[in-house]
Amino acid sequence: MKIRKGDRVRVIAGKDGVAGHEGVVMFALPEQEKVIVEGAGMVKRHQRQTRQTQQAGIIDKDMPIHVSNVMLICKACGPTRVGYAIDEGGKKFRVCRKCGEELESN
Ligand SMILES: [Zn+2]
C-alpha cells in the first residue's frame, strides 16, 4: 500500500463532508486497502443512556477510508500521487510524482 501509518493525507472523496479533510493516518489496513485518518470519516451515533454504558450522547467512531480516496501530502507541493524510486542499495522508497522529492512518514 502506498499510504502508511503516520502519513499526512488529504481526503479527496467520501461521504458526510470528509472530502477535503486533512489529517494523519492513524491506522493502515492493508488487507482492505483502507486507512483510518485522524478526525475524518466520523460517524456520529446517538446512544441512549443505559446502566451498562453510564454515558449518553454522541459517540464518535473513526471510519476506514479507501486509499483511492486519499492523497499523500508532499511538503513541497501539497496533495500528490505517490511514485516509487530505488536507491543505490536497491531499497525502494516513495517519491512525489510532481517534484520527485522523497516522501517520508512523520
Ligand atoms: Zn512534491
Side-chain angles (χ1 to χ4, degrees):
M1 231 172 38
K2 288 180 176 178
I3 307 291
R4 296 176 194 161
K5 186 180 173 182
D7 286 345
R8 188 161 186 86
V9 297
R10 179 178 291 179
V11 181
I12 54 168
K15 288 181 279 185
D16 304 324
V18 296
H21 179 88
E22 282 185 19
V24 174
V25 175
M26 305 299 286
F27 294 100
L29 308 165
E31 299 87 13
Q32 300 167 55
E33 295 197 300
K34 286 178 178 174
V35 292
I36 293 174
V37 180
E38 185 182 33
M42 294 282 214
V43 170
K44 287 196 177 0
R45 208 155 47 96
H46 289 273
Q47 183 160 344
R48 222 178 287 153
Q49 186 160 14
T50 65
R51 284 198 195 95
Q52 283 77 31
T53 62
Q54 296 289 323
Q55 215 176 17
I58 297 165
I59 291 184
D60 291 329
K61 193 172 183 302
D62 288 322
M63 288 298 289
I65 299 168
H66 196 267
V67 287
S68 65
N69 289 337
V70 302
M71 288 186 97
L72 194 55
I73 295 175
C74 169
K75 288 187 180 81
C77 43
T80 187
R81 298 184 67 185
V82 179
Y84 286 107
I86 295 167
D87 69 14
E88 299 85 356
K91 190 170 170 269
K92 201 157 86 167
F93 60 97
R94 299 179 303 170
V95 294
C96 170
R97 285 253 188 103
K98 286 184 194 166
C99 69
E101 274 295 308
E102 182 172 354
L103 296 167
E104 268 305 315
S105 295
N106 298 320

